[in-house]
Amino acid sequence: MSDNNKTLNPWGSLLPDDIVTNIFLRLPIKSIIICTSVSKKWKSLILDPKFNFISTHLHHSYNNNNHNLHLFSLDSQKTEDNKEIYVLYNEDDTDFTRHASFDIPLHGSELDPLNKILHVVGTCNGLLCLSDYSLETDRIFLWNPCVGKYLRLPSPNVTYATHGVFKGSLGFGFDPETNDYKVVRVVSLPITPNLPTLQHKVEVYSLSTGQWRMLSDSLVPTCVVYGILTQSSVNGAMHWLVSRTANDNQFDHFGLVFDLHNEVFREILLPELPAYTRQRSTLCASVSTYRNSIALFHNDHNSLCLDIWVMKDYGVVSSWMKALSLPLRKNIMRAVGFCRNGHIVLELDGGQLISWDVETQEIKDFGIIGYNFVDAYVESLVLLDKTTDNTITY
Amino acid sequence: MKFCTVKQYFDDENNNNVTNGIATTVIPLPNKHLKIKANNKEMEQYEQELLRNVMPQELTKLILAANYLNFKEALDFFCRTVANAIQNKSVDYVRKFFGLESDFEPGEEEKLCKEFAWSFEGVDED
């Protein structure tokens, strides 16, 4: 191979770093990874944190409007070998052909002897947070399907082994100020002979430290948060829809917000929903992300409408605005989120998923029936530079 | 602005980076670019032509020239051309394209290849 290189003329090394980076940014992820093996310099340009390439690549992905992707986790019962698979679709395709599909290699392995289903907690910047939500096995993973790497989180401080039965919830988000990914676990320990009052505990895992840290008791929210909740991670905060038992034994519903940077909780009031009732702890609603703010999907069973509310000015309660109202009778079951191109993803009767363009009224069928998770997605290289013991490349 | 830099370049006799040959390719580019800016198909054809007729070595020099002349559109175009040329190609192909040699310690490279084995699969034949 080097016979014709008698006079070593490495013209490639004449290219300044920023131009080499410019070229990398235009490559598909697989090719970027191949470039890490070309030379030490190239490996360093891509993986060394001082060059910040992973962040640059992420911004480039977000700004690439030709590549709006949507991620679906398909129901394992409907796939060929009864495993969950994750598929990516390009939102702008005229016929939704599959852009890529991934299978997480955890089934039947040492990490998953019982073959438990992993649920998606949330997705952020190309990373997925998964958990089996099981008291006994209690596993949590961070996974980037695009680079084929996953990492298992260490055991939280509060577990079934240490504290007995508990109810809890997980959240996943990104702190843009420290460029760090965090997983939040909120648990409620039930009243027992040893524990006379209901106790809430919160701990936060940070990818940069690789460890869990308990939040001080004074900072813990006083509402019960449990189950697999829909979440919205935006503006450096995580948002859940929760309820709290009020003094009159009815329920108050609100948005619970966890500031990922300062690691404190705060509350956001919901819009004034028509026919709002405080009699039930659950609300037929879910939160979602819309542009740089939050949205609320509410199924109003009185008027039989699906109402889509958007908080126009993030954080300003008076800016909640009913953006859209869709009749529930036309087979529409619920809204599940927004595409990056602004279209709405709806679930129809029977589990069929479609995207709906509000302006043109155009409907596109994803051709998917039966899903566990769906959200907008962006390809990234996050985790590529992680080389700790519990990071697995497959 | 672009043409001031070009004039300054020619006046700068110490500059050896760009030969006359390259200058004749880069200088007409603004005109060509303006003419066919809206027409993607023609740009694609021009890109194919470039890749066929111009050695990677020359392409690198074109990039350096465009960079020196601060000609962003040309720079983006050439970078895109290079990216398309090395997309989905093997490590060896990419090295050959840029005239680079592996400077990894023995074993270091094998480790990398093993770690990301899946991304080395399905690449185009060299």
Side-chain angles (χ1 to χ4, degrees), chain A residues 199-214:
Chain A
Q199 279 205 8
H200 305 281
K201 294 220 178 280
V202 179
E203 47 187 320
V204 182
Y205 167 86
S206 140
L207 182 62
S208 60
T209 63
Q211 297 185 331
W212 290 94
R213 189 177 62 251
M214 296 296 301

Side-chain angles (χ1 to χ4, degrees), chain A residues 6 33 61 87 94 102 104 110 119 154 196 204 236 276 285 325 329 350 354 370 374 388:
Chain A
K6 291 233 170 79
I33 293 177
S61 265
V87 291
T94 36
F102 309 103
I104 188 168
E110 292 172 352
H119 301 272
V204 182
Y276 174 58
S325 211
R329 55 183 160 77
I354 59 165
V374 53
T388 54

Side-chain angles (χ1 to χ4, degrees), chain B residues 57-69:
Chain B
Q57 186 172 6
E58 306 293 300
L59 196 48
T60 310
K61 288 186 180 168
L62 280 173
I63 292 179
L64 288 171
N67 190 37
Y68 179 80
L69 295 170

Side-chain angles (χ1 to χ4, degrees), chain A residues 106-120:
Chain A
L106 287 176
H107 298 280
S109 67
E110 292 172 352
L111 290 171
D112 182 22
L114 302 173
N115 238 2
K116 289 214 172 144
I117 290 184
L118 290 172
H119 301 272
V120 181

Side-chain angles (χ1 to χ4, degrees), chain A residues 108-348:
Chain A
S109 67
E110 292 172 352
L111 290 171
D112 182 22
L114 302 173
N115 238 2
K116 289 214 172 144
I117 290 184
L118 290 172
H119 301 272
V120 181
V121 174
T123 164
C124 208
N125 296 347
L127 269 194
L128 282 148
C129 177
L130 306 167
S131 173
D132 56 16
Y133 283 97
S134 148
L135 276 180
E136 315 146 282
T137 47
D138 203 0
R139 299 161 306 152
I140 306 169
F141 297 95
L142 288 180
W143 177 38
N144 184 340
C146 294
V147 303
K149 263 188 149 167
Y150 66 83
L151 134 70
R152 180 176 176 177
L153 268 57
S155 264
N157 293 303
V158 176
T159 62
Y160 179 58
T162 57
H163 287 70
V165 170
F166 62 85
K167 281 183 166 164
S169 262
L170 286 167
F172 174 58
F174 174 65
D175 172 13
E177 294 191 46
T178 54
N179 206 24
D180 193 12
Y181 296 87
K182 296 188 178 178
V183 178
V184 184
R185 171 125 120 179
V186 182
V187 304
S188 300
L189 300 168
I191 296 174
T192 61
N194 288 333
L195 248 128
T197 54
L198 191 65
Q199 279 205 8
H200 305 281
K201 294 220 178 280
V202 179
E203 47 187 320
V204 182
Y205 167 86
S206 140
L207 182 62
S208 60
T209 63
Q211 297 185 331
W212 290 94
R213 189 177 62 251
M214 296 296 301
L215 223 62
S216 142
D217 278 346
S218 58
L219 296 175
V220 165
T222 53
C223 49
V224 173
V225 183
Y226 70 85
I228 302 174
L229 302 173
T230 57
Q231 62 160 59
S232 161
S233 172
V234 71
N235 290 337
M238 238 183 42
H239 307 75
W240 282 317
L241 190 57
V242 298
S243 66
R244 172 191 286 128
T245 317
N247 290 332
D248 56 357
N249 277 338
Q250 297 210 320
F251 300 92
D252 290 323
H253 305 90
F254 56 96
L256 182 64
V257 186
F258 183 65
D259 181 327
L260 289 158
H261 183 64
N262 299 316
E263 296 186 1
V264 290
F265 283 94
R266 52 175 198 270
E267 298 176 9
I268 275 187
L269 287 176
L270 300 181
E272 282 182 21
L273 300 170
Y276 174 58
T277 170
R278 295 176 61 242
Q279 291 177 343
R280 283 189 294 277
S281 69
T282 52
L283 206 56
C284 216
S286 63
V287 289
S288 187
T289 308
Y290 181 70
R291 304 282 144 97
N292 282 332
S293 186
I294 50 175
L296 184 76
F297 301 133
H298 177 230
N299 280 12
D300 179 354
H301 293 293
N302 264 30
S303 60
L304 288 178
C305 272
L306 161 62
D307 292 334
I308 298 179
W309 296 81
V310 174
M311 192 175 228
K312 277 205 84 176
D313 293 320
Y314 176 71
V316 178
V317 177
S318 55
S319 76
W320 275 116
M321 184 193 88
K322 192 194 291 192
L324 205 59
S325 211
L326 293 171
L328 282 173
R329 55 183 160 77
K330 276 197 198 157
N331 294 341
I332 297 174
M333 289 285 289
R334 65 178 66 87
V336 288
F338 291 96
C339 291
R340 278 174 56 209
N341 59 16
H343 300 176
I344 302 175
V345 182
L346 297 168
E347 181 188 342
L348 304 181

Side-chain angles (χ1 to χ4, degrees), chain B residues 20-87:
Chain B
N20 280 334
I22 303 301
T24 51
T25 317
V26 179
I27 309 278
L29 200 55
N31 288 329
K32 205 176 175 74
H33 188 261
L34 285 168
K35 258 192 258 167
I36 60 180
K37 200 165 168 182
N39 192 335
N40 280 327
K41 198 106 207 275
E42 277 196 49
M43 279 311 258
E44 261 173 49
Q45 282 176 347
Y46 180 63
E47 183 180 314
Q48 290 304 314
E49 224 179 274
L50 208 66
L51 282 178
R52 260 200 308 267
N53 301 332
V54 166
M55 291 295 293
Q57 186 172 6
E58 306 293 300
L59 196 48
T60 310
K61 288 186 180 168
L62 280 173
I63 292 179
L64 288 171
N67 190 37
Y68 179 80
L69 295 170
N70 218 8
F71 188 176
K72 190 174 184 304
E73 285 89 354
L75 188 58
D76 280 347
F77 174 73
F78 292 133
C79 284
R80 206 166 42 242
T81 307
V82 170
N84 286 340
I86 62 172
Q87 184 169 302

Side-chain angles (χ1 to χ4, degrees), chain B residues 3-13 68:
Chain B
F3 296 106
C4 284
T5 326
V6 170
K7 182 179 185 304
Q8 184 190 337
Y9 162 72
F10 278 115
D11 292 345
D12 181 359
E13 286 161 334
Y68 179 80

